[in-house]
């Protein structure tokens, strides 16, 4: 593998990690906002901002499998999809838990790599 290819892969992993970290902050917040029975105007505005972030990201879920050996992008997509649907509460909760579990596993792996 050439140096340029390694640099491109490192940049792709950096961007992917940024999106995953962002999702780990935004999806729990989106979940909480979605659960509010009578959201305030600020809650509605915050929810719309979060939805816009996810609508503007266009990613191929296979990317995380190739670069991180993880289905984390599938979990993000499923979590976002479940939260934004008028669906059962349990599906939303399970998909958020699944995402956060995998996120924490990846985060621990990243710490180990960074410490070596």
């Amino acid at each position: 593998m050439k140096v340029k290819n390694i640099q491109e892969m490192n940049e792709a992993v950096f961007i992917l990690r940024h999106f995953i970290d962002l999702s780990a902050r935004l999806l729990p917040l989106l979940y909480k906002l979605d659960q509010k029975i009578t959201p305030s105007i600020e809650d509605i505005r915050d929810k719309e901002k979060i939805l816009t972030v996810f609508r503007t990201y266009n990613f191929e879920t296979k990317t995380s499998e190739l670069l991180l050996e993880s289905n984390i992008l599938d979990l993000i997509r499923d979590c976002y999809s479940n939260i934004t649907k008028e669906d059962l509460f349990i599906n939303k909760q399970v998909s958020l838990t699944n995402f956060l579990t995998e996120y924490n596993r990846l985060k621990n792996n990243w710490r180990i790599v960074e410490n070596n």
Side-chain angles (χ1 to χ4, degrees), residues 8 17 28 35 40 46 60 62 75 78 81 88 106 112:
E8 288 173 352
R17 282 181 61 178
Q35 298 305 307
S40 68
D46 289 346
E60 174 58 46
K62 296 287 183 204
L75 295 171
D78 293 347
S81 178
L88 296 175
L106 284 174
I112 291 168

Side-chain angles (χ1 to χ4, degrees), residues 14-53:
F14 177 79
I15 292 167
L16 184 56
R17 282 181 61 178
H18 174 73
F19 177 69
I20 294 167
D21 286 335
L22 180 65
S23 297
R25 288 192 308 272
L26 294 181
L27 287 173
L29 182 56
L30 180 61
Y31 175 80
K32 286 179 187 175
L33 292 169
D34 183 67
Q35 298 305 307
K36 290 193 174 191
I37 295 170
T38 55
S40 68
I41 292 172
E42 185 176 334
D43 292 335
I44 294 168
R45 201 174 305 134
D46 289 346
K47 184 175 178 180
E48 189 54 41
K49 287 177 185 176
I50 294 170
L51 293 173
T52 299
V53 168

Side-chain angles (χ1 to χ4, degrees), residues 60-78:
E60 174 58 46
T61 57
K62 296 287 183 204
T63 305
S64 67
E65 292 175 20
L66 292 171
L67 295 175
L68 303 175
E69 297 179 0
S70 168
N71 67 335
I72 191 83
L73 290 180
D74 282 323
L75 295 171
I76 290 170
R77 183 198 60 218
D78 293 347

